[in-house]
Amino acid sequence: MADNLPSEFDVIVIGTGLPESIIAAACSRSGQRVLHVDSRSYYGGNWASFSFSGLLSWLKEHQENTDIVNECPAWQEKILENEEAIALSRTDKTIQHVEVFCYASQDLHEDVEEAGALQKNHASVTSVNCTEAADSACLPIEDESLRTTSCEIPAEQTPSSDPDRALEVNDVQVTGEKENHCDDNTCVPSTAEKETSENVPVAEDTAEQPKKNRITYSQIIKEGRRFNIDLVSKLLYSRGLLIDLLIKSNVSRYAEFKNITRILAFREGRVKQVPCSRADVFNSKQLTMVEKRMLMKFLTFCMEYEEHPDEYKAYEEIKFSEYLKTQKLTPNLQYFVLHSMAMTSETGSSTIDGLKATKNFLQCLGRYGNTPFLFPLYGQGELPQCFCRMCAVFGGIYCLRHSVQCLVVDKESGKCKAIIDQYGQRIISKHFLVEDSYLSENTCSHVQYRQISRAVLITDRSVLKTDSDQQISILTVPAEEPGTFAVRVIELCSSTMTCMKGSYLVHLTCTSSKTAREDLEPVVQKLFTPYTETEIENEEIEKPRLLWGLYFNMRDSSDVSRNSYNDLPSNVYVCSGPDCALGNDNAVKQAEALFQQICPNEDFCPPPPNPEDIILDGDNLQPEASESSALPEANSETPKESSNLKNPEEPSK
């Protein structure tokens, strides 16, 4: 039982976001006794993914802004005279300015199988309406509605110590049969997906869509478990730190990935595809032959720019956009390089930073596909859970819905010595890691946070229609006004297991200058048109139809200095929430830096040992029969429908 935990650990981690989960896995792997707790009822914190009904539950929770669990009233009495307490926050204040919009028609003749439908309103359903809708939904906050996954690992999921074991990347073209089955993946299927396939009857598409491209809100509710909606929208660079860590630690076997199939650009009011590889460049019909030669020459230079300092030294002090104008590139090519390869703005980076970003983009091409990026099946929320599984394999203990009342600090030494949990139990530890959102206002009174503007949209088709309806795209829309920021758009199709068939899930992200709606709505209006009844019959409509939308602001604590927090003991470490960057490098760097402070002489997430190599005390004991080994027997079989790619060799220089 969670109220009967061991009284002492080496490391206590509070919060199950990506950095905390990586650190917990690394500490457990190095032999530390780890307790990993979260007051929420789901893994991931602000890195989580939800089914549609789970997202409505999350919205209701943040609208009410109530405590997740009851507070132990007598915890103050457990503080001794030579101790003092640092109280932790009882509410999550990282999400603000939540606004929900529903444009899809509500078919009143159909019975909605899942509660939670918003009333039809072509104007806006503001945050107040959202609260009312969530109240009327009466959605139970249960594990199945929130897509949580247990950290208990079946025998066939044991990590392998094969150094060549790498990521599993699927082809983007997925048949309907494969899309409806989760058991062909090497990852542990999410709870919601299991329930979908076993317990929730799904009607045939022809019955659900009497008219072409018509998706009702009732249908979204019925197919709600097909959605896996990320709170934070990111991609993985194929040569980024997180990919390297997944391969090194063999955590990659718990997840499955897809290539991003297209890099898009928004120029002159139209969405265009950006040629990335050599083949794309020479096959492109958008570029003239002269432009193709110009682009290839410049990209070749970017790959080797450090070897030719004379060609850029004179431009180091100017912006990358100004430098591009000196390189005999047409305005079209300058735009592609600046916004779709370097992924920066006219005023966003220096020449060196732009060249470095472009080189990183090019180096990631071709490792696993035709673009530099990968996306995890079932959403970004799978990644923290993967590292939680690794931690659990090596003995880490997990408790969701388990809040911590305070940190107990010894006055004499000035170090934290224990926590007191919701049951009043005192648990001793040497090191404590706390996610920023758990710190109280008193602790954070001098902290200046940035904000991230987020939007999540459900649409009926892609922003750039092609022969295939299974495209995964990233698009950067540049800022138009001073003081605003470029907006990153990631469009996911149903083969990513994040949305229902016939729909697209679109994520918009930028650094906040105002509220999320004020920052992102202009871009939404450029790319999409709201669904209306009169447009159902109009099959030639140019823009995709917007069926449902959510706007919210999320706290960005990634650049907060430790010195900004008030009176934190030296053995209390703070992990930040998600940042606004496209990749996950900040989370990995942060996790490794904190791990080195806790275990300075240990390797960071080394591969787990092969079960056959584990030496046990008894001569006749088999590895799979021993509980002390903490490793079940590995399964060397690979599912037939999965594409198991080995770690690509580094190119010779």
Side-chain angles (χ1 to χ4, degrees):
M1 295 293 292
D3 57 350
N4 218 4
L5 290 168
S7 59
E8 186 172 352
F9 290 87
D10 296 316
V11 180
I12 294 178
V13 183
I14 304 174
T16 53
L18 183 58
E20 303 95 86
S21 299
I22 294 175
I23 297 171
C27 290
S28 182
R29 174 68 183 89
S30 67
Q32 303 291 310
R33 296 168 297 169
V34 176
L35 172 63
H36 202 172
V37 299
D38 199 326
S39 60
R40 302 175 179 92
S41 56
Y42 52 88
Y43 288 97
N46 283 348
W47 301 79
S49 303
F50 295 107
S51 66
F52 193 76
S53 60
L55 185 66
L56 294 180
S57 295
W58 178 83
L59 287 170
K60 179 179 178 180
E61 180 181 297
H62 279 279
Q63 289 296 333
E64 293 177 345
N65 202 21
T66 56
D67 295 350
I68 300 175
V69 292
N70 294 327
E71 181 177 352
C72 173
W75 69 265
Q76 293 91 341
E77 300 175 4
K78 298 183 179 292
I79 305 300
L80 306 178
E81 290 185 3
N82 63 338
E83 298 172 343
E84 59 183 2
I86 300 178
L88 298 184
S89 176
R90 305 296 305 137
T91 57
D92 184 356
K93 299 182 179 179
T94 60
I95 305 297
Q96 298 177 334
H97 309 301
V98 178
E99 298 184 69
V100 179
F101 297 79
C102 182
Y103 298 102
S105 65
Q106 180 73 55
D107 193 336
L108 301 178
H109 298 289
E110 297 183 45
D111 293 329
V112 180
E113 294 182 5
E114 291 187 25
L118 295 170
Q119 296 299 317
K120 175 68 178 295
N121 187 345
H122 287 304
S124 68
V125 182
T126 64
S127 57
V128 177
N129 297 94
C130 173
T131 306
E132 295 172 355
D135 289 338
S136 64
C138 298
L139 290 170
I141 302 180
E142 299 177 358
D143 286 349
E144 62 268 23
S145 67
L146 291 173
R147 240 201 93 250
T148 61
T149 303
S150 170
C151 285
E152 183 178 352
I153 303 178
E156 64 269 17
Q157 303 298 332
T158 307
S160 166
S161 61
D162 181 4
D164 291 331
R165 172 68 176 162
L167 296 177
E168 185 163 317
V169 184
N170 279 352
D171 294 332
V172 172
Q173 300 297 334
V174 179
T175 64
E177 180 182 359
K178 180 174 181 181
E179 186 176 299
N180 292 331
H181 291 79
C182 303
D183 54 3
D184 58 346
N185 300 324
T186 57
C187 64
V188 179
S190 300
T191 303
E193 292 298 328
K194 288 182 181 178
E195 292 179 358
T196 300
S197 59
E198 295 174 4
N199 302 328
V200 181
V202 179
E204 295 182 1
D205 293 336
T206 55
E208 292 292 348
Q209 297 187 28
K211 296 181 181 181
K212 185 178 179 181
N213 289 338
R214 180 182 179 183
I215 299 176
T216 65
Y217 189 69
S218 298
Q219 186 180 352
I220 294 175
I221 293 294
K222 288 180 180 180
E223 302 267 11
R225 296 188 186 278
R226 298 289 184 192
F227 289 88
N228 287 295
I229 301 172
D230 296 329
L231 295 184
V232 59
S233 177
K234 289 180 176 289
L235 299 176
L236 287 77
Y237 281 92
S238 65
R239 296 189 189 276
L241 296 180
L242 184 54
I243 291 291
D244 292 342
L245 181 62
L246 287 166
I247 294 172
K248 173 187 175 184
S249 62
N250 278 335
V251 172
S252 59
R253 72 176 292 117
Y254 300 144
E256 201 170 1
F257 301 84
K258 280 194 175 294
N259 297 115
I260 303 303
T261 59
R262 301 185 301 186
I263 310 291
L264 304 179
F266 186 79
R267 180 164 167 78
E268 298 174 349
R270 300 183 65 85
V271 177
K272 302 178 181 179
Q273 185 166 349
V274 177
C276 297
S277 66
R278 181 185 296 271
D280 286 344
V281 170
F282 286 105
N283 290 332
S284 174
K285 297 180 181 179
Q286 304 177 47
L287 306 178
T288 66
M289 187 58 66
V290 174
E291 284 182 315
K292 292 176 181 179
R293 293 195 184 102
M294 287 180 180
L295 183 58
M296 287 306 304
K297 181 179 180 181
F298 179 73
L299 296 182
T300 302
F301 163 72
C302 288
M303 286 293 292
E304 306 169 348
Y305 80 93
E306 293 168 316
E307 302 174 10
H308 307 283
D310 294 341
E311 297 192 26
Y312 65 87
K313 280 291 184 182
Y315 305 100
E316 283 185 324
E317 303 301 324
I318 66 174
K319 297 297 181 183
F320 186 52
S321 57
E322 295 297 321
Y323 171 74
L324 291 176
K325 295 177 182 178
T326 69
Q327 296 302 299
K328 299 180 180 179
L329 297 174
T330 64
N332 200 33
L333 297 181
Q334 293 176 35
Y335 190 94
F336 284 171
V337 172
L338 184 66
H339 297 293
S340 300
M341 294 184 182
M343 294 192 176
T344 184
S345 63
E346 281 81 359
T347 59
S349 62
S350 65
T351 297
I352 295 297
D353 291 338
L355 289 172
K356 184 177 180 180
T358 306
K359 180 179 179 180
N360 181 55
F361 179 96
L362 297 172
Q363 285 180 324
C364 293
L365 285 172
R367 189 180 195 190
Y368 295 114
N370 209 29
T371 71
F373 305 112
L374 298 175
F375 180 80
L377 287 187
Y378 306 104
Q380 177 78 25
E382 288 296 297
L383 298 178
Q385 295 184 61
C386 289
F387 285 98
C388 289
R389 292 183 181 104
M390 177 181 175
C391 178
V393 164
F394 290 97
I397 295 178
Y398 279 83
C399 296
L400 296 182
R401 297 192 187 92
H402 196 99
S403 68
V404 176
Q405 307 295 332
C406 69
L407 306 175
V408 181
V409 180
D410 182 73
K411 289 183 178 179
E412 183 177 351
S413 65
K415 289 193 173 184
C416 186
K417 58 192 295 187
I419 63 170
I420 296 178
D421 69 5
Q422 68 190 69
Y423 300 103
Q425 181 180 1
R426 175 183 288 242
I427 305 175
I428 299 171
S429 182
K430 301 174 185 176
H431 304 279
F432 303 81
L433 290 105
V434 184
E435 200 268 319
D436 172 88
S437 66
Y438 284 88
L439 298 176
S440 67
E441 291 185 2
N442 290 335
T443 304
C444 303
S445 60
H446 295 97
V447 177
Q448 297 292 325
Y449 292 110
R450 295 182 301 183
Q451 296 288 324
I452 302 170
S453 290
R454 289 278 291 114
V456 179
L457 313 175
I458 300 174
T459 66
D460 66 344
R461 64 178 177 86
S462 175
V463 293
L464 183 60
K465 196 170 183 180
T466 60
D467 294 336
S468 170
D469 62 351
Q470 295 299 311
Q471 298 283 359
I472 312 171
S473 311
I474 177 172
L475 164 67
T476 302
V477 180
E480 291 188 348
E481 300 178 4
T484 61
F485 298 89
V487 175
R488 182 173 69 245
V489 182
I490 296 177
E491 183 184 68
L492 305 173
C493 62
S494 60
S495 65
T496 62
M497 306 299 180
T498 59
C499 59
M500 58 183 279
K501 289 183 68 174
S503 70
Y504 284 82
L505 188 65
V506 183
H507 292 276
L508 290 84
T509 307
C510 74
T511 301
S512 299
S513 56
K514 303 174 184 177
T515 68
R517 181 185 172 189
E518 291 173 322
D519 285 337
L520 300 174
E521 194 171 49
V523 175
V524 173
Q525 292 173 346
K526 291 177 182 178
L527 297 175
F528 308 98
T529 184
Y531 175 100
T532 62
E533 293 287 352
T534 57
E535 291 170 349
I536 295 177
E537 304 297 336
N538 183 9
E539 301 298 340
E540 301 302 323
I541 185 168
E542 183 178 355
K543 299 178 183 178
R545 285 189 286 263
L546 178 59
L547 305 172
W548 186 88
L550 164 67
Y551 296 92
F552 62 91
N553 289 90
M554 177 184 290
R555 177 190 294 178
D556 180 358
S557 55
S558 59
D559 285 339
V560 176
S561 168
R562 176 185 170 81
N563 297 329
S564 301
Y565 299 104
N566 298 329
D567 303 324
L568 280 183
S570 59
N571 62 335
V572 175
Y573 312 92
V574 181
C575 295
S576 71
D579 61 350
C580 196
L582 175 61
N584 298 274
D585 283 4
N586 183 71
V588 178
K589 289 178 181 177
Q590 181 181 177
E592 184 170 9
L594 294 179
F595 172 78
Q596 294 300 337
Q597 294 182 48
I598 297 171
C599 306
N601 298 318
E602 296 288 338
D603 189 12
F604 181 57
C605 286
N610 197 328
E612 289 80 9
D613 297 335
I614 298 175
I615 300 176
L616 303 171
D617 293 336
D619 293 336
N620 297 326
L621 289 178
Q622 297 297 324
E624 60 270 21
S626 172
E627 294 182 359
S628 62
S629 70
L631 279 173
E633 184 180 5
N635 183 3
S636 60
E637 295 183 2
T638 301
K640 294 181 180 179
E641 294 186 7
S642 297
S643 174
N644 186 10
L645 301 182
K646 292 188 176 182
N647 191 7
E649 295 182 0
E650 296 293 329
S652 58
K653 294 184 179 179

